[in-house]
Amino acid sequence: MGVVGALRSSAYDFVMSLLAILLIVAGVLAALGVVAAVVLAFRRQTPAIGGRLEPMEPPRSKAPKVERNDTSSDTALVDTASDIGEESAESGAVGEVLTPVAPSFRDRLRRARGTFSGTFASIRGRSAITEEVWEDLEEALIRADVGIGPATELLTAVRARVKSAGITSPSELLEEVKSEMITRLVAPIDLRFSAESPTIWLMVGVNGVGKTTTIGKLGHRLVGEGKTVVMAAGDTFRAAAAEQLAMWGERCGATVIRGAEGGDPSSVIFDAVAHAGSAGADVVLADTAGRLHTKSNLMEELRKVRRVADKGVGSVTEVLLVLDATTGQNGLTQAREFAEAADLTGVVLTKLDGSAKGGIVFAIQSSLGIPVKLVGLGEHAEDLVPFDAEQFVEALFAEED
């Protein structure tokens, strides 16, 4: 028993010694981990050799939106102080400010080009200009919503040029079609400014076509050009319209004039023009109602808005009809109706990048003689661009890579 007891005692001492050693090793490893964490944190806060540590500035808060009621009417002035300029200045302090790149017609009109590409590829592969070629061309134009009348007129003119020039190659025929299209689409597209400020531009159109968004994008563009802009929330029959316009105003640094929901749109626009005159603003962008109880009421309201807008300082130089390009020939019907109520000066064609019916451009200009002045090629503010007839047609005829 003495020997057994001695052995047990030795084993116990050995185990206890081993545990003590393990605890010491664990303590050392933990200490090393703490040291490593401290060193790593120090390195993250310390610049590379030759650099210097910049003090961190506290985050800057955006300027608040101030809204006050005008005691002379139900119209409210929303003074939206934009922080866009401050952000530009801050970004300039740390790096170069990138200028947004204008969208390419060729890149954005893939769907519209797809309406023509099959027919054009087939024609290029033929050896002669036959009657079947002419029929295929007419079918492609009508399918793209050019319209039967404009398509017939265009091809009649091309036939005469092909005959007089002795053209026999299908590829040369397509070049003649392209040239005739460009000729028929070229029109003055400049947005006009009045000699006396403020310049007033009215946006008309049915609900859902993008009137309010177009005003926001135009405001962004004008402010970027150094002009002061007032936006009139004249669509008082759609609750979200004024809120949407206020958001655009805050983003681009424009003042928004709004009235009570369901109020008189004309009074809102009158107050906006008056405010622009007193504040020395350059441009008033006026939204209008797109929905009333009957079509006749809508058109009469537009006539009234136009009369009221012309009563104060400045003058109305543009009445722009906003159309959704995806509606095709329905857009032409809308254009006819609005042309009767308002002296339209041009068309803004939105969502052209998402439409396979780009031919509506020809239908509008051929049937009504109203130029397409602006087109929407995307969702961003920079995607609302001046219409370019040559780039538009070239995009439709471009061969896919």
Side-chain angles (χ1 to χ4, degrees):
M1 293 297 292
V3 174
V4 173
L7 289 174
R8 286 180 177 176
S9 177
S10 298
Y12 177 81
D13 292 338
F14 175 78
V15 170
M16 293 304 294
S17 299
L18 182 61
L19 287 175
I21 292 171
L22 290 176
L23 287 173
I24 292 171
V25 171
V28 171
L29 291 177
L32 289 175
V34 171
V35 171
V38 171
V39 171
L40 182 59
F42 181 77
R43 284 186 175 181
R44 287 178 177 174
Q45 295 296 326
T46 306
I49 296 175
R52 60 188 181 89
L53 189 62
E54 294 288 347
M56 295 182 63
E57 294 183 0
R60 302 177 64 176
S61 60
K62 293 184 178 180
K65 181 175 72 174
V66 180
E67 179 171 334
R68 63 177 177 85
N69 292 327
D70 188 337
T71 55
S72 62
S73 68
D74 292 333
T75 305
L77 167 64
V78 181
D79 189 6
T80 51
S82 173
D83 59 313
I84 292 177
E86 295 180 0
E87 290 176 355
S88 299
E90 291 171 3
S91 59
V94 296
E96 181 182 358
V97 179
L98 298 178
T99 303
V101 179
S104 161
F105 277 78
R106 175 172 177 144
D107 291 341
R108 300 296 176 89
L109 296 185
R110 294 185 182 276
R111 292 193 64 181
R113 181 163 59 250
T115 308
F116 294 99
S117 59
T119 299
F120 290 165
S122 173
I123 291 175
R124 289 188 182 100
R126 300 183 191 182
S127 58
I129 301 175
T130 63
E131 193 59 34
E132 184 180 1
V133 168
W134 291 107
E135 290 175 358
D136 288 347
L137 275 174
E138 183 178 30
E139 180 182 346
L141 292 172
I142 294 173
R143 190 167 59 245
D145 263 355
V146 170
I148 296 177
T152 301
E153 292 175 7
L154 188 150
L155 292 181
T156 298
V158 173
R159 276 180 184 266
R161 288 169 60 175
V162 166
K163 183 177 180 179
S164 63
I167 294 173
T168 58
S169 165
S171 294
E172 292 182 39
L173 166 61
L174 289 180
E175 290 299 316
E176 290 298 321
V177 174
K178 184 196 301 184
S179 176
E180 183 66 22
M181 281 183 165
I182 294 173
T183 300
R184 289 172 177 263
L185 285 179
V186 170
I189 63 168
D190 291 336
L191 297 172
R192 298 169 298 170
F193 291 84
S194 63
E196 178 188 1
S197 293
T199 293
I200 305 165
W201 294 346
L202 300 179
M203 304 292 157
V204 302
V206 300
N207 278 343
V209 295
K211 292 194 308 298
T212 307
T213 301
T214 296
I215 289 176
K217 291 179 178 181
L218 262 179
H220 174 86
R221 171 180 162 185
L222 290 168
V223 171
E225 294 172 355
K227 294 180 172 60
T228 51
V229 176
V230 173
M231 298 178 178
D235 189 357
T236 59
F237 296 92
R238 186 167 67 92
E243 296 299 327
Q244 185 181 357
L245 206 59
M247 290 175 58
W248 273 106
E250 185 173 2
R251 288 172 60 183
C252 70
T255 299
V256 176
I257 304 295
R258 58 190 296 181
E261 184 177 345
D264 183 8
S266 299
S267 67
V268 177
I269 294 173
F270 179 83
D271 289 344
V273 173
H275 172 78
S278 63
D282 297 312
V283 181
V284 175
L285 300 176
D287 198 2
T288 59
R291 177 188 62 200
L292 288 175
H293 299 299
T294 66
K295 184 176 66 176
S296 60
N297 283 347
L298 170 60
M299 298 310 169
E300 182 54 41
E301 183 62 48
L302 290 178
R303 294 186 184 97
K304 179 182 177 183
V305 165
R306 174 61 191 265
R307 291 194 303 269
V308 170
D310 267 330
K311 283 184 178 180
V313 294
S315 60
V316 177
T317 59
E318 295 287 350
V319 181
L320 300 174
L321 173 63
V322 183
L323 293 176
D324 182 342
T326 63
T327 60
Q329 287 293 311
N330 287 335
L332 182 60
T333 302
Q334 293 173 27
R336 288 197 180 99
E337 293 175 352
F338 279 94
E340 295 175 1
D343 186 13
L344 299 179
T345 60
V347 169
V348 179
L349 205 55
T350 64
K351 309 174 189 176
L352 190 58
D353 59 312
S355 173
K357 302 178 179 181
I360 188 61
V361 175
F362 297 95
I364 292 169
Q365 294 200 182
S366 299
S367 301
L368 301 177
I370 304 173
V372 175
K373 294 195 172 186
L374 296 166
V375 292
L377 299 179
E379 297 180 356
H380 297 95
E382 295 79 14
D383 294 332
L384 181 69
V385 299
F387 178 69
D388 187 306
E390 185 172 356
Q391 287 189 37
F392 173 74
V393 175
E394 289 288 352
L396 296 181
F397 278 76
E399 297 185 56
E400 297 291 350
D401 297 331

